[in-house]
Amino acid sequence: MVSVGIMGGGQLGLMMIMEGRRLPFKFFVMDDSDSPACMIADKCFSPSNYKEFVDSSDVVTFEFEHVSEEALIYAHDERKLYPSLDAVELKRERYKEKEYYRNHGLPTPRFTVVRGGDEALRTLKDEFNNYGVIKRSKGGYDGKGQYFVRGDPAVASEVKGMDCYFVVEEFVDFDFEASVIGVRSIRGEFSAYPPTFNLNLKGILVYNYGPYGDPAMQEIVRKLADSLNYVGAMGVEFFVKGSKVMINEFAPRVHNTGHYTLDGALFSQFDQHVNVITGSSPLSTEVTTPSGMLNLLGVEKIPQISEGKVYWYNKKEARKRRKMGHINVVGKDLAEVKGKIDNLMKQIYIKGLDL
């Protein structure tokens, strides 16, 4: 029986195990014992025991890229890590990710990399007419470390004096945001789900639905995956402006915008990921019905809802912006799916969504 090791015990690891239980695998998790994925894993390892965790696993993956660097390097050195360390390294520093897109001919917004907050503000003024986005290169996630500047002095005072790398980027007045979940095997076989429409507020996904958008985005994901010699599932987020699409960022793992595949596709993104990292070919990425997903952000208990399917993550504490679960919906067309999401928003966020 193949043993799959997962670094990180959050909801993505939880769903990876839940979906993978249909296959003859054991699942080991490296995280705190009370993390969601550890609660259902065959064995849980503390991060300090990363060598035992890697040695016990036939293949090692991760549900979040900001995990123990020592553990990632050890798994890489043991030739067990999928996706590769190269893909993770692009996410450790945002400027490396942006430069990778530019160097490989992948469409992305215009940007400049600088060192220091003062230089970031000067570059924003000189190259972007004080209208753009300043992104701290390291540590940003779900909108953290991103500063949208439209001549706002409060933002300037926050960035000024910081001694780190920044990406200074043009502000894209996009029509909508979209994403594609792609999957690539060890042998280079590639497949992708259709794009989805995403609603992000303050850098965090609120809901998405699909299929929606230009299928050409799938080919961009293929080009990115092939260039990285990638193995596993990945999520790629886009800005869409008219007929133009630009990569905002990618995630080298299963992704929040792919949760709809649990109910709207023949096989989920989690099925796909476990399947290819253990040496098999991608499964069908056929979407069987229009579908969507609503994140449960900061919600303290399982909601009583009139429609949809609740996935609850069993996290210990509800906090503002924290993903406590999600709800999947399906419908005969996108209008029905969007209507169900709108109804759920009213039921769950009665006083409005506080982000």
Side-chain angles (χ1 to χ4, degrees), residues 231-249:
V231 177
M234 68 158 59
V236 183
E237 296 179 291
F238 294 89
F239 296 138
V240 181
K241 180 69 174 176
S243 60
K244 186 177 183 181
V245 296
M246 294 168 279
I247 299 178
N248 178 28
E249 62 178 340

Side-chain angles (χ1 to χ4, degrees), residues 78-135:
E78 294 296 308
R79 299 185 178 181
K80 294 182 178 182
L81 184 66
Y82 298 106
S84 71
L85 193 60
D86 289 342
V88 179
E89 285 302 313
L90 291 183
K91 300 302 298 184
R92 293 298 181 93
E93 285 275 7
R94 193 186 302 269
Y95 81 84
K96 293 181 181 179
E97 177 182 358
K98 300 295 288 187
E99 289 181 339
Y100 189 88
Y101 299 150
R102 183 161 60 192
N103 293 340
H104 288 80
L106 297 162
T108 196
R110 183 169 62 95
F111 69 93
T112 299
V113 178
V114 299
R115 176 79 192 217
D118 294 347
E119 184 64 15
L121 292 168
R122 186 197 65 76
T123 300
L124 185 77
K125 179 181 178 182
D126 294 348
E127 296 186 24
F128 298 91
N129 199 28
N130 261 345
Y131 188 66
V133 187
I134 295 175
K135 299 179 178 180

Side-chain angles (χ1 to χ4, degrees), residues 237-274:
E237 296 179 291
F238 294 89
F239 296 138
V240 181
K241 180 69 174 176
S243 60
K244 186 177 183 181
V245 296
M246 294 168 279
I247 299 178
N248 178 28
E249 62 178 340
F250 90 104
R253 51 175 168 78
V254 288
H255 192 250
N256 197 187
T257 60
H259 290 351
Y260 75 92
T261 61
L262 289 162
D263 295 284
L266 279 175
F267 298 98
S268 75
Q269 63 168 342
F270 304 99
D271 289 318
Q272 300 279 11
H273 187 71
V274 173

Side-chain angles (χ1 to χ4, degrees), residues 185-187 189 275-282:
S185 74
I186 291 171
R187 292 171 295 281
E189 302 154 303
N275 202 56
V276 297
I277 66 171
T278 54
S280 296
S281 301

Side-chain angles (χ1 to χ4, degrees), residues 16-42:
M16 203 182 301
I17 297 173
M18 291 171 65
E19 290 290 282
R21 286 294 185 206
R22 295 196 293 269
L23 299 169
F25 298 139
K26 284 185 177 180
F27 290 93
F28 303 145
V29 172
M30 187 188 77
D31 206 340
D32 297 332
S33 59
D34 57 357
S35 65
C38 269
M39 292 180 184
I40 66 168
D42 293 287

Side-chain angles (χ1 to χ4, degrees), residues 157-207:
S157 64
E158 190 169 352
V159 172
K160 191 176 179 63
M162 283 189 182
D163 183 22
C164 59
Y165 282 105
F166 289 91
V167 173
V168 185
E169 185 175 291
E170 68 174 314
F171 181 83
V172 179
D173 187 18
F174 51 79
D175 298 328
F176 65 95
E177 293 178 272
S179 64
V180 169
I181 304 298
V183 58
R184 188 177 184 276
S185 74
I186 291 171
R187 292 171 295 281
E189 302 154 303
F190 177 85
S191 190
Y193 295 93
T196 60
F197 173 99
N198 302 338
L199 177 70
N200 291 285
L201 296 175
K202 295 186 179 179
I204 193 167
L205 182 71
V206 179
Y207 63 74

